[in-house]
Amino acid sequence: MLIVSGSSCRYLAVNVSKLTNTPIVPNECKVFPDGEIYVRINGDVSGKPVAIFQSFALKPNDYLMEFILLSDLVRDLGASKIIAIIPYFAYTRQDDRFKPGEALSIKTIASIFKSLNIDSIVTIDMHLHRVSSPSELFKIPVYNLSAMGLLMDYVMLSFKPESPIVIGPDEESRQWAETAARRANVEYDVLEKTRYNSYRVVVKPKRLDIDGRDVIVVDDIISTGGTMVEAVKALRSCGARRIITACTHPILVDKALSKILEAGAEAVIGTDTVPSPVSYVSVKSVIAEFLTRMFQ
Ligand code: R5P
């Protein structure tokens, strides 16, 4: 197998390449003065399976376009198989028409992927709520790996929480709260959230047995931080002692990090699916182990 990386996650591609002993094919990705994207592969990929790394965070539209160009190019140059490694998969939260006339973005992205003739997709903690089988939607195998175990190991080791409980900020996060709690063999529960717009969310305090306990709040994504801020406030009002927040994808726009810390969280922990000041946990081993098991 060979690895080709888009410009969003070269660090991760290099780390996975080292762990799996897979060569990286050099490439060039740049933006023309008018904003158009240019890509070039400087190596031979013909007849070989190629894993293309690209995370769709921070500049989702540019990175998506770069990925489209790279994967079509790799196919044109004769790769025998394309495995798309998309650590953060954007456009999955718009999985319903919440208001009449809205685009079903996840469905549109799935159609684009189908047209690219990709063989499989590997991603981490994809935001799956109303779509239960991404493989059915994308019509190719989609392997949705999780970083929740690694995040939980990191939190337990670094913070040594007392009488810990894992809390998800909303019903959608139940799956991640459950996985994280299972890893450390602790209890979990979820809060109730209502979202009014991209920034305004309300999380209801609820009867929880957390008085004097250390709480680990887990979610897939922290974007504006609105969800975490509200969750931290609700948990404090319920008597939580220490609150440590963790997510797989620390997108952290609009001063999200300082807002969450100011709300009373002791720390924000994320992974390197998105480069950020809190990407303390690397998903390289999760991806490397999967690639070794499946493709080597
Ligand atoms: C949505 O349900 C997700 O799981 C996250 O809770 C959400 O994307 C976080 O966004 P924000 O940080 O902007 O509240």
Side-chain angles (χ1 to χ4, degrees), residues 88 93 127 129-130 169-170 172-173 176 193 195 197-199 201 219-229 252-253 256 260:
Y88 173 66
R93 283 177 288 178
H127 187 87
H129 189 50
R130 280 151 283 257
D170 52 25
E172 299 181 12
S173 63
W176 300 298
K193 174 177 98 179
R195 181 175 286 285
N197 58 40
S198 300
Y199 287 91
V201 298
D219 208 352
D220 57 338
I221 303 165
I222 300 179
S223 181
T224 66
T227 300
M228 275 301 181
V229 166
L252 300 177
V253 297
I260 298 167

PDB file of all heavy atoms in Angstrom, residues 88 93 127 129-130 169-170 172-173 176 193 195 197-199 201 219-229 252-253 256 260, ligand 1:
ATOM      1  N   TYR A  88     -11.699  13.479  10.215  1.00  0.00           N
ATOM      2  CA  TYR A  88     -12.909  14.244  10.545  1.00  0.00           C
ATOM      3  C   TYR A  88     -13.744  14.402   9.274  1.00  0.00           C
ATOM      4  O   TYR A  88     -13.283  14.973   8.283  1.00  0.00           O
ATOM      5  CB  TYR A  88     -12.580  15.638  11.105  1.00  0.00           C
ATOM      6  CG  TYR A  88     -13.845  16.450  11.269  1.00  0.00           C
ATOM      7  CD1 TYR A  88     -14.808  16.063  12.193  1.00  0.00           C
ATOM      8  CD2 TYR A  88     -14.110  17.558  10.476  1.00  0.00           C
ATOM      9  CE1 TYR A  88     -15.998  16.767  12.322  1.00  0.00           C
ATOM     10  CE2 TYR A  88     -15.303  18.268  10.608  1.00  0.00           C
ATOM     11  CZ  TYR A  88     -16.239  17.868  11.533  1.00  0.00           C
ATOM     12  OH  TYR A  88     -17.421  18.549  11.647  1.00  0.00           O
ATOM     13  N   ARG A  93     -23.436  16.503  10.022  1.00  0.00           N
ATOM     14  CA  ARG A  93     -24.442  16.930  11.002  1.00  0.00           C
ATOM     15  C   ARG A  93     -25.743  17.345  10.328  1.00  0.00           C
ATOM     16  O   ARG A  93     -26.804  17.289  10.916  1.00  0.00           O
ATOM     17  CB  ARG A  93     -23.888  18.076  11.863  1.00  0.00           C
ATOM     18  CG  ARG A  93     -22.937  17.573  12.920  1.00  0.00           C
ATOM     19  CD  ARG A  93     -22.336  18.683  13.734  1.00  0.00           C
ATOM     20  NE  ARG A  93     -21.363  19.449  12.984  1.00  0.00           N
ATOM     21  CZ  ARG A  93     -20.724  20.518  13.470  1.00  0.00           C
ATOM     22  NH1 ARG A  93     -20.978  20.936  14.677  1.00  0.00           N
ATOM     23  NH2 ARG A  93     -19.839  21.150  12.729  1.00  0.00           N
ATOM     24  N   HIS A 127     -20.182  11.774  12.820  1.00  0.00           N
ATOM     25  CA  HIS A 127     -21.405  12.223  13.480  1.00  0.00           C
ATOM     26  C   HIS A 127     -22.607  11.496  12.873  1.00  0.00           C
ATOM     27  O   HIS A 127     -23.218  11.965  11.911  1.00  0.00           O
ATOM     28  CB  HIS A 127     -21.585  13.731  13.362  1.00  0.00           C
ATOM     29  CG  HIS A 127     -22.747  14.194  14.175  1.00  0.00           C
ATOM     30  ND1 HIS A 127     -22.646  14.528  15.502  1.00  0.00           N
ATOM     31  CD2 HIS A 127     -24.059  14.311  13.882  1.00  0.00           C
ATOM     32  CE1 HIS A 127     -23.835  14.838  15.971  1.00  0.00           C
ATOM     33  NE2 HIS A 127     -24.716  14.717  14.997  1.00  0.00           N
ATOM     34  N   HIS A 129     -26.230  10.217  13.526  1.00  0.00           N
ATOM     35  CA  HIS A 129     -27.357  10.276  14.441  1.00  0.00           C
ATOM     36  C   HIS A 129     -28.591   9.692  13.761  1.00  0.00           C
ATOM     37  O   HIS A 129     -29.084   8.652  14.119  1.00  0.00           O
ATOM     38  CB  HIS A 129     -27.573  11.718  14.893  1.00  0.00           C
ATOM     39  CG  HIS A 129     -28.567  11.821  15.995  1.00  0.00           C
ATOM     40  ND1 HIS A 129     -28.499  11.053  17.123  1.00  0.00           N
ATOM     41  CD2 HIS A 129     -29.666  12.604  16.138  1.00  0.00           C
ATOM     42  CE1 HIS A 129     -29.520  11.329  17.918  1.00  0.00           C
ATOM     43  NE2 HIS A 129     -30.238  12.268  17.347  1.00  0.00           N
ATOM     44  N   ARG A 130     -28.995  10.364  12.679  1.00  0.00           N
ATOM     45  CA  ARG A 130     -30.182   9.868  11.986  1.00  0.00           C
ATOM     46  C   ARG A 130     -29.834   8.870  10.885  1.00  0.00           C
ATOM     47  O   ARG A 130     -30.690   8.206  10.343  1.00  0.00           O
ATOM     48  CB  ARG A 130     -31.004  11.030  11.425  1.00  0.00           C
ATOM     49  CG  ARG A 130     -31.867  11.667  12.504  1.00  0.00           C
ATOM     50  CD  ARG A 130     -32.126  13.113  12.232  1.00  0.00           C
ATOM     51  NE  ARG A 130     -30.975  13.898  12.557  1.00  0.00           N
ATOM     52  CZ  ARG A 130     -30.865  14.646  13.661  1.00  0.00           C
ATOM     53  NH1 ARG A 130     -31.838  14.703  14.502  1.00  0.00           N
ATOM     54  NH2 ARG A 130     -29.763  15.316  13.897  1.00  0.00           N
ATOM     55  N   PRO A 169     -23.334  15.517  26.535  1.00  0.00           N
ATOM     56  CA  PRO A 169     -24.133  16.742  26.672  1.00  0.00           C
ATOM     57  C   PRO A 169     -25.530  16.668  26.053  1.00  0.00           C
ATOM     58  O   PRO A 169     -26.364  17.535  26.303  1.00  0.00           O
ATOM     59  CB  PRO A 169     -23.292  17.792  25.949  1.00  0.00           C
ATOM     60  CG  PRO A 169     -22.431  17.028  25.003  1.00  0.00           C
ATOM     61  CD  PRO A 169     -22.202  15.677  25.623  1.00  0.00           C
ATOM     62  N   ASP A 170     -25.770  15.668  25.219  1.00  0.00           N
ATOM     63  CA  ASP A 170     -27.090  15.563  24.582  1.00  0.00           C
ATOM     64  C   ASP A 170     -27.353  14.109  24.189  1.00  0.00           C
ATOM     65  O   ASP A 170     -26.476  13.257  24.292  1.00  0.00           O
ATOM     66  CB  ASP A 170     -27.185  16.482  23.346  1.00  0.00           C
ATOM     67  CG  ASP A 170     -26.034  16.265  22.371  1.00  0.00           C
ATOM     68  OD1 ASP A 170     -25.456  15.160  22.367  1.00  0.00           O
ATOM     69  OD2 ASP A 170     -25.701  17.203  21.621  1.00  0.00           O
ATOM     70  N   GLU A 172     -27.625  12.781  21.332  1.00  0.00           N
ATOM     71  CA  GLU A 172     -26.795  12.310  20.220  1.00  0.00           C
ATOM     72  C   GLU A 172     -25.458  11.760  20.710  1.00  0.00           C
ATOM     73  O   GLU A 172     -24.819  10.961  20.039  1.00  0.00           O
ATOM     74  CB  GLU A 172     -26.552  13.456  19.221  1.00  0.00           C
ATOM     75  CG  GLU A 172     -27.842  13.966  18.632  1.00  0.00           C
ATOM     76  CD  GLU A 172     -27.656  15.093  17.625  1.00  0.00           C
ATOM     77  OE1 GLU A 172     -26.516  15.340  17.205  1.00  0.00           O
ATOM     78  OE2 GLU A 172     -28.665  15.711  17.262  1.00  0.00           O
ATOM     79  N   SER A 173     -25.017  12.234  21.880  1.00  0.00           N
ATOM     80  CA  SER A 173     -23.696  11.824  22.371  1.00  0.00           C
ATOM     81  C   SER A 173     -23.742  10.543  23.198  1.00  0.00           C
ATOM     82  O   SER A 173     -22.715  10.106  23.713  1.00  0.00           O
ATOM     83  CB  SER A 173     -23.067  12.955  23.186  1.00  0.00           C
ATOM     84  OG  SER A 173     -23.866  13.200  24.321  1.00  0.00           O
ATOM     85  N   TRP A 176     -21.134   7.917  22.308  1.00  0.00           N
ATOM     86  CA  TRP A 176     -19.743   8.196  22.692  1.00  0.00           C
ATOM     87  C   TRP A 176     -19.576   8.091  24.201  1.00  0.00           C
ATOM     88  O   TRP A 176     -18.566   7.589  24.681  1.00  0.00           O
ATOM     89  CB  TRP A 176     -19.323   9.568  22.154  1.00  0.00           C
ATOM     90  CG  TRP A 176     -19.427   9.594  20.663  1.00  0.00           C
ATOM     91  CD1 TRP A 176     -18.726   8.806  19.783  1.00  0.00           C
ATOM     92  CD2 TRP A 176     -20.327  10.374  19.872  1.00  0.00           C
ATOM     93  NE1 TRP A 176     -19.142   9.062  18.502  1.00  0.00           N
ATOM     94  CE2 TRP A 176     -20.103  10.012  18.523  1.00  0.00           C
ATOM     95  CE3 TRP A 176     -21.286  11.335  20.159  1.00  0.00           C
ATOM     96  CZ2 TRP A 176     -20.817  10.592  17.465  1.00  0.00           C
ATOM     97  CZ3 TRP A 176     -22.001  11.904  19.113  1.00  0.00           C
ATOM     98  CH2 TRP A 176     -21.764  11.541  17.783  1.00  0.00           C
ATOM     99  N   LYS A 193     -30.361  18.534  25.422  1.00  0.00           N
ATOM    100  CA  LYS A 193     -29.966  19.811  24.792  1.00  0.00           C
ATOM    101  C   LYS A 193     -30.998  20.240  23.747  1.00  0.00           C
ATOM    102  O   LYS A 193     -31.504  19.412  23.003  1.00  0.00           O
ATOM    103  CB  LYS A 193     -28.600  19.618  24.116  1.00  0.00           C
ATOM    104  CG  LYS A 193     -28.113  20.799  23.300  1.00  0.00           C
ATOM    105  CD  LYS A 193     -26.720  20.533  22.725  1.00  0.00           C
ATOM    106  CE  LYS A 193     -26.765  20.056  21.294  1.00  0.00           C
ATOM    107  NZ  LYS A 193     -25.451  19.817  20.706  1.00  0.00           N
ATOM    108  N   ARG A 195     -31.074  22.910  20.526  1.00  0.00           N
ATOM    109  CA  ARG A 195     -30.281  23.857  19.733  1.00  0.00           C
ATOM    110  C   ARG A 195     -31.227  24.824  19.031  1.00  0.00           C
ATOM    111  O   ARG A 195     -32.171  24.409  18.371  1.00  0.00           O
ATOM    112  CB  ARG A 195     -29.428  23.100  18.704  1.00  0.00           C
ATOM    113  CG  ARG A 195     -28.566  24.035  17.871  1.00  0.00           C
ATOM    114  CD  ARG A 195     -27.629  23.283  16.947  1.00  0.00           C
ATOM    115  NE  ARG A 195     -26.506  22.651  17.612  1.00  0.00           N
ATOM    116  CZ  ARG A 195     -25.439  23.298  18.077  1.00  0.00           C
ATOM    117  NH1 ARG A 195     -25.365  24.612  17.967  1.00  0.00           N
ATOM    118  NH2 ARG A 195     -24.462  22.643  18.655  1.00  0.00           N
ATOM    119  N   ASN A 197     -29.816  27.733  17.253  1.00  0.00           N
ATOM    120  CA  ASN A 197     -29.082  28.078  16.033  1.00  0.00           C
ATOM    121  C   ASN A 197     -27.631  27.627  16.224  1.00  0.00           C
ATOM    122  O   ASN A 197     -27.318  26.961  17.210  1.00  0.00           O
ATOM    123  CB  ASN A 197     -29.185  29.579  15.694  1.00  0.00           C
ATOM    124  CG  ASN A 197     -28.673  30.464  16.827  1.00  0.00           C
ATOM    125  OD1 ASN A 197     -27.673  30.138  17.455  1.00  0.00           O
ATOM    126  ND2 ASN A 197     -29.357  31.563  17.087  1.00  0.00           N
ATOM    127  N   SER A 198     -26.727  28.008  15.310  1.00  0.00           N
ATOM    128  CA  SER A 198     -25.352  27.502  15.382  1.00  0.00           C
ATOM    129  C   SER A 198     -24.685  27.829  16.708  1.00  0.00           C
ATOM    130  O   SER A 198     -23.796  27.113  17.172  1.00  0.00           O
ATOM    131  CB  SER A 198     -24.501  28.112  14.269  1.00  0.00           C
ATOM    132  OG  SER A 198     -25.042  27.764  13.035  1.00  0.00           O
ATOM    133  N   TYR A 199     -25.067  28.972  17.307  1.00  0.00           N
ATOM    134  CA  TYR A 199     -24.402  29.399  18.537  1.00  0.00           C
ATOM    135  C   TYR A 199     -25.225  29.140  19.790  1.00  0.00           C
ATOM    136  O   TYR A 199     -24.685  28.959  20.860  1.00  0.00           O
ATOM    137  CB  TYR A 199     -24.083  30.911  18.457  1.00  0.00           C
ATOM    138  CG  TYR A 199     -22.938  31.195  17.519  1.00  0.00           C
ATOM    139  CD1 TYR A 199     -23.171  31.455  16.169  1.00  0.00           C
ATOM    140  CD2 TYR A 199     -21.630  31.183  17.975  1.00  0.00           C
ATOM    141  CE1 TYR A 199     -22.124  31.698  15.304  1.00  0.00           C
ATOM    142  CE2 TYR A 199     -20.568  31.422  17.115  1.00  0.00           C
ATOM    143  CZ  TYR A 199     -20.821  31.678  15.786  1.00  0.00           C
ATOM    144  OH  TYR A 199     -19.775  31.904  14.935  1.00  0.00           O
ATOM    145  N   VAL A 201     -27.451  27.229  22.255  1.00  0.00           N
ATOM    146  CA  VAL A 201     -28.005  25.950  22.701  1.00  0.00           C
ATOM    147  C   VAL A 201     -28.371  26.092  24.180  1.00  0.00           C
ATOM    148  O   VAL A 201     -27.789  26.911  24.887  1.00  0.00           O
ATOM    149  CB  VAL A 201     -27.005  24.771  22.554  1.00  0.00           C
ATOM    150  CG1 VAL A 201     -26.603  24.543  21.128  1.00  0.00           C
ATOM    151  CG2 VAL A 201     -25.778  24.954  23.433  1.00  0.00           C
ATOM    152  N   ASP A 219     -17.896  14.334  23.899  1.00  0.00           N
ATOM    153  CA  ASP A 219     -18.715  14.591  22.707  1.00  0.00           C
ATOM    154  C   ASP A 219     -17.850  14.281  21.493  1.00  0.00           C
ATOM    155  O   ASP A 219     -16.630  14.167  21.607  1.00  0.00           O
ATOM    156  CB  ASP A 219     -19.171  16.059  22.687  1.00  0.00           C
ATOM    157  CG  ASP A 219     -20.488  16.247  21.942  1.00  0.00           C
ATOM    158  OD1 ASP A 219     -20.962  15.278  21.310  1.00  0.00           O
ATOM    159  OD2 ASP A 219     -21.034  17.365  21.977  1.00  0.00           O
ATOM    160  N   ASP A 220     -18.488  14.174  20.329  1.00  0.00           N
ATOM    161  CA  ASP A 220     -17.697  13.925  19.110  1.00  0.00           C
ATOM    162  C   ASP A 220     -16.969  15.197  18.682  1.00  0.00           C
ATOM    163  O   ASP A 220     -15.786  15.165  18.349  1.00  0.00           O
ATOM    164  CB  ASP A 220     -18.570  13.378  17.975  1.00  0.00           C
ATOM    165  CG  ASP A 220     -19.746  14.269  17.611  1.00  0.00           C
ATOM    166  OD1 ASP A 220     -20.167  15.099  18.457  1.00  0.00           O
ATOM    167  OD2 ASP A 220     -20.263  14.156  16.484  1.00  0.00           O
ATOM    168  N   ILE A 221     -17.696  16.330  18.693  1.00  0.00           N
ATOM    169  CA  ILE A 221     -17.152  17.579  18.137  1.00  0.00           C
ATOM    170  C   ILE A 221     -17.287  18.698  19.160  1.00  0.00           C
ATOM    171  O   ILE A 221     -18.314  18.800  19.836  1.00  0.00           O
ATOM    172  CB  ILE A 221     -17.983  17.989  16.890  1.00  0.00           C
ATOM    173  CG1 ILE A 221     -18.002  16.881  15.848  1.00  0.00           C
ATOM    174  CG2 ILE A 221     -17.502  19.306  16.301  1.00  0.00           C
ATOM    175  CD1 ILE A 221     -19.084  17.050  14.776  1.00  0.00           C
ATOM    176  N   ILE A 222     -16.263  19.548  19.267  1.00  0.00           N
ATOM    177  CA  ILE A 222     -16.490  20.858  19.897  1.00  0.00           C
ATOM    178  C   ILE A 222     -16.235  21.880  18.799  1.00  0.00           C
ATOM    179  O   ILE A 222     -15.123  21.972  18.274  1.00  0.00           O
ATOM    180  CB  ILE A 222     -15.548  21.131  21.090  1.00  0.00           C
ATOM    181  CG1 ILE A 222     -15.753  20.073  22.179  1.00  0.00           C
ATOM    182  CG2 ILE A 222     -15.826  22.535  21.652  1.00  0.00           C
ATOM    183  CD1 ILE A 222     -14.834  20.251  23.396  1.00  0.00           C
ATOM    184  N   SER A 223     -17.260  22.606  18.427  1.00  0.00           N
ATOM    185  CA  SER A 223     -17.124  23.595  17.357  1.00  0.00           C
ATOM    186  C   SER A 223     -17.113  24.997  17.980  1.00  0.00           C
ATOM    187  O   SER A 223     -16.060  25.530  18.309  1.00  0.00           O
ATOM    188  CB  SER A 223     -18.261  23.403  16.347  1.00  0.00           C
ATOM    189  OG  SER A 223     -18.127  24.323  15.303  1.00  0.00           O
ATOM    190  N   THR A 224     -18.280  25.594  18.191  1.00  0.00           N
ATOM    191  CA  THR A 224     -18.309  26.918  18.845  1.00  0.00           C
ATOM    192  C   THR A 224     -18.097  26.796  20.351  1.00  0.00           C
ATOM    193  O   THR A 224     -17.868  27.796  21.025  1.00  0.00           O
ATOM    194  CB  THR A 224     -19.678  27.598  18.638  1.00  0.00           C
ATOM    195  OG1 THR A 224     -20.670  26.829  19.347  1.00  0.00           O
ATOM    196  CG2 THR A 224     -20.054  27.685  17.176  1.00  0.00           C
ATOM    197  N   GLY A 225     -18.243  25.588  20.867  1.00  0.00           N
ATOM    198  CA  GLY A 225     -18.122  25.384  22.321  1.00  0.00           C
ATOM    199  C   GLY A 225     -19.437  25.614  23.050  1.00  0.00           C
ATOM    200  O   GLY A 225     -19.527  25.369  24.257  1.00  0.00           O
ATOM    201  N   GLY A 226     -20.463  26.060  22.332  1.00  0.00           N
ATOM    202  CA  GLY A 226     -21.756  26.362  22.965  1.00  0.00           C
ATOM    203  C   GLY A 226     -22.301  25.169  23.748  1.00  0.00           C
ATOM    204  O   GLY A 226     -22.772  25.321  24.882  1.00  0.00           O
ATOM    205  N   THR A 227     -22.216  23.987  23.159  1.00  0.00           N
ATOM    206  CA  THR A 227     -22.751  22.787  23.823  1.00  0.00           C
ATOM    207  C   THR A 227     -21.982  22.502  25.107  1.00  0.00           C
ATOM    208  O   THR A 227     -22.572  22.263  26.168  1.00  0.00           O
ATOM    209  CB  THR A 227     -22.640  21.583  22.857  1.00  0.00           C
ATOM    210  OG1 THR A 227     -23.406  21.880  21.686  1.00  0.00           O
ATOM    211  CG2 THR A 227     -23.135  20.298  23.481  1.00  0.00           C
ATOM    212  N   MET A 228     -20.641  22.531  25.024  1.00  0.00           N
ATOM    213  CA  MET A 228     -19.821  22.214  26.210  1.00  0.00           C
ATOM    214  C   MET A 228     -20.008  23.263  27.303  1.00  0.00           C
ATOM    215  O   MET A 228     -20.085  22.929  28.483  1.00  0.00           O
ATOM    216  CB  MET A 228     -18.344  22.114  25.839  1.00  0.00           C
ATOM    217  CG  MET A 228     -17.925  20.760  25.333  1.00  0.00           C
ATOM    218  SD  MET A 228     -18.229  19.440  26.539  1.00  0.00           S
ATOM    219  CE  MET A 228     -17.611  18.050  25.621  1.00  0.00           C
ATOM    220  N   VAL A 229     -20.064  24.535  26.927  1.00  0.00           N
ATOM    221  CA  VAL A 229     -20.238  25.593  27.926  1.00  0.00           C
ATOM    222  C   VAL A 229     -21.527  25.351  28.706  1.00  0.00           C
ATOM    223  O   VAL A 229     -21.553  25.375  29.942  1.00  0.00           O
ATOM    224  CB  VAL A 229     -20.262  26.991  27.244  1.00  0.00           C
ATOM    225  CG1 VAL A 229     -20.786  28.057  28.196  1.00  0.00           C
ATOM    226  CG2 VAL A 229     -18.875  27.359  26.748  1.00  0.00           C
ATOM    227  N   LEU A 252     -13.009  23.919  17.571  1.00  0.00           N
ATOM    228  CA  LEU A 252     -12.733  25.093  18.417  1.00  0.00           C
ATOM    229  C   LEU A 252     -12.727  26.429  17.664  1.00  0.00           C
ATOM    230  O   LEU A 252     -11.681  27.074  17.544  1.00  0.00           O
ATOM    231  CB  LEU A 252     -11.382  24.908  19.130  1.00  0.00           C
ATOM    232  CG  LEU A 252     -11.240  23.689  20.047  1.00  0.00           C
ATOM    233  CD1 LEU A 252      -9.831  23.612  20.611  1.00  0.00           C
ATOM    234  CD2 LEU A 252     -12.256  23.719  21.180  1.00  0.00           C
ATOM    235  N   VAL A 253     -13.875  26.811  17.144  1.00  0.00           N
ATOM    236  CA  VAL A 253     -13.966  28.128  16.498  1.00  0.00           C
ATOM    237  C   VAL A 253     -14.398  29.170  17.541  1.00  0.00           C
ATOM    238  O   VAL A 253     -14.902  28.830  18.618  1.00  0.00           O
ATOM    239  CB  VAL A 253     -14.954  28.127  15.290  1.00  0.00           C
ATOM    240  CG1 VAL A 253     -14.462  27.187  14.218  1.00  0.00           C
ATOM    241  CG2 VAL A 253     -16.371  27.762  15.716  1.00  0.00           C
ATOM    242  N   ALA A 256     -13.713  29.092  21.433  1.00  0.00           N
ATOM    243  CA  ALA A 256     -14.423  28.025  22.159  1.00  0.00           C
ATOM    244  C   ALA A 256     -13.637  27.558  23.371  1.00  0.00           C
ATOM    245  O   ALA A 256     -14.208  27.344  24.451  1.00  0.00           O
ATOM    246  CB  ALA A 256     -14.684  26.854  21.212  1.00  0.00           C
ATOM    247  N   ILE A 260     -15.014  27.561  27.299  1.00  0.00           N
ATOM    248  CA  ILE A 260     -15.291  26.332  28.082  1.00  0.00           C
ATOM    249  C   ILE A 260     -14.526  26.375  29.407  1.00  0.00           C
ATOM    250  O   ILE A 260     -15.055  26.017  30.459  1.00  0.00           O
ATOM    251  CB  ILE A 260     -14.902  25.069  27.266  1.00  0.00           C
ATOM    252  CG1 ILE A 260     -15.751  24.985  25.997  1.00  0.00           C
ATOM    253  CG2 ILE A 260     -15.074  23.803  28.085  1.00  0.00           C
ATOM    254  CD1 ILE A 260     -15.267  23.981  24.971  1.00  0.00           C
TER     255      ILE A 260
HETATM  256  C1  R5P B   1     -23.941  17.870  17.726  1.00  0.00           C
HETATM  257  O1  R5P B   1     -24.891  17.222  18.082  1.00  0.00           O
HETATM  258  C2  R5P B   1     -22.542  17.464  18.058  1.00  0.00           C
HETATM  259  O2  R5P B   1     -22.497  16.191  18.619  1.00  0.00           O
HETATM  260  C3  R5P B   1     -21.865  18.465  18.964  1.00  0.00           C
HETATM  261  O3  R5P B   1     -22.520  18.493  20.213  1.00  0.00           O
HETATM  262  C4  R5P B   1     -21.911  19.831  18.347  1.00  0.00           C
HETATM  263  O4  R5P B   1     -21.495  19.768  17.032  1.00  0.00           O
HETATM  264  C5  R5P B   1     -21.031  20.803  19.107  1.00  0.00           C
HETATM  265  O5  R5P B   1     -21.131  22.038  18.483  1.00  0.00           O
HETATM  266  P1  R5P B   1     -20.885  23.382  19.299  1.00  0.00           P
HETATM  267  O6  R5P B   1     -19.543  23.251  19.956  1.00  0.00           O
HETATM  268  O7  R5P B   1     -20.914  24.466  18.252  1.00  0.00           O
HETATM  269  O8  R5P B   1     -22.006  23.509  20.282  1.00  0.00           O
END
